[in-house]
Structure formats: structure tokens, C-alpha cells
Amino acid sequence: MPDCLFCKIIAREIPASIVYEDDRVIAFNDINPQGPTHVLVVPKRHIATLNDLSTADDGIVGEMVRRAAAIASERGIATGGFRAVFNTNRDAGQTVFHIHLHVIGGRPLAWPPG
Ligand code: AMP
Ligand code: ZN
């Protein structure tokens, strides 16, 4: 997707602080972190929102969730707790239309969110 910010990060056209990468998934630090850990786990294939998923995507979504847990574990926040969130469309405040799993932790997190 030519105008997609996260596709540009994947293509190394825009810099990011990458913390993990394999053939299917990339993870990088959020530019506006909401906690001591705030990593975005992103599939390399462009998918705009959760509403665009098909059964063919079950594998990549599973990899994203497992990667979120692995990153939390590496950062020492898995046992204490962390949040993993997909924002979808306007009411959830989605601003980048390439799905990404926010992994936020390192501080107590209020619930419900705003
Ligand atoms: P969302 O609002 O769920 O679409 O989340 C988009 C996230 O991308 C926000 O938390 C932004 O801070 C983050 N973001 C925007 N631009 C960049 C960038 N260049 N590098 C890293 N994170 C970014
Ligand atoms: Zn994209």
C-alpha cells in the first residue's frame, strides 16, 4: 500500500525503532509511548482493519498475539501484566489503517479505557 505509514516502515522508507522482525511480522516502539513499554506488533502484509480479516489470516493474527506475549516476557512485564489492544475504526481512535497490536505495560493500567 503506497500511502500506508506502516508499509513504509516495513519497506524501510521511514525509520522506526524495530524490536523484532521475521518473515511475517515486525514490531517497533510506538513513537508516542503510553507506558514504559509500548510496542506495535504489525503483520508485514497490509490489512486495513480487523473488519478486513478472513480465515486465511488466522495464522498471522495468532502469531501477532504470541509475539505480543513474547515481547512482554522479554521486558519482564508478562507476570505483572500488560495490555494488548487492536483499535478499530473511528470510535476506537484508529489512526493508522494497517492493523497493529499495541503492547502496553510497565505501569498500572486503568480499566475501562477512556
Ligand atoms: P492507532 O491509533 O491504534 O491507529 O495507533 C497508531 C499508533 O501509531 C499510535 O499509537 C501512534 O503513536 C503510532 N505511530 C504513528 N506514527 C508512528 C511512527 N512513525 N513510528 C511509530 N509509531 C507511530
Ligand atoms: Zn500497510
Side-chain angles (χ1 to χ4, degrees):
M1 279 293 149
D3 278 331
C4 172
L5 175 64
F6 289 172
C7 283
K8 287 180 178 168
I9 287 175
I10 292 160
R12 301 297 203 277
E13 292 168 12
I14 290 175
S17 171
I18 295 167
V19 301
Y20 176 84
E21 181 170 24
D22 63 27
D23 289 348
R24 295 168 303 281
V25 170
I26 192 166
F28 48 87
N29 289 312
D30 197 292
I31 205 168
N32 181 25
Q34 300 303 308
T37 287
H38 189 168
V39 172
L40 303 175
V41 180
V42 180
K44 288 193 168 176
R45 195 160 67 74
H46 181 91
I47 303 167
T49 79
L50 290 194
N51 297 330
D52 301 298
L53 291 172
S54 71
T55 55
D57 301 313
D58 288 358
I60 191 66
V61 173
E63 287 184 42
M64 292 170 71
V65 174
R66 285 196 306 104
R67 183 53 48 195
I71 289 168
S73 181
E74 285 164 12
R75 305 255 174 140
I77 61 170
T79 302
F82 66 97
R83 187 162 294 157
V85 175
F86 287 100
N87 292 324
T88 301
N89 280 341
R90 181 194 57 233
D91 280 356
Q94 185 176 3
T95 58
V96 178
F97 288 84
H98 179 140
I99 62 168
H100 47 282
L101 184 54
H102 293 259
V103 184
I104 302 170
R107 65 171 175 84
L109 299 166
W111 189 264

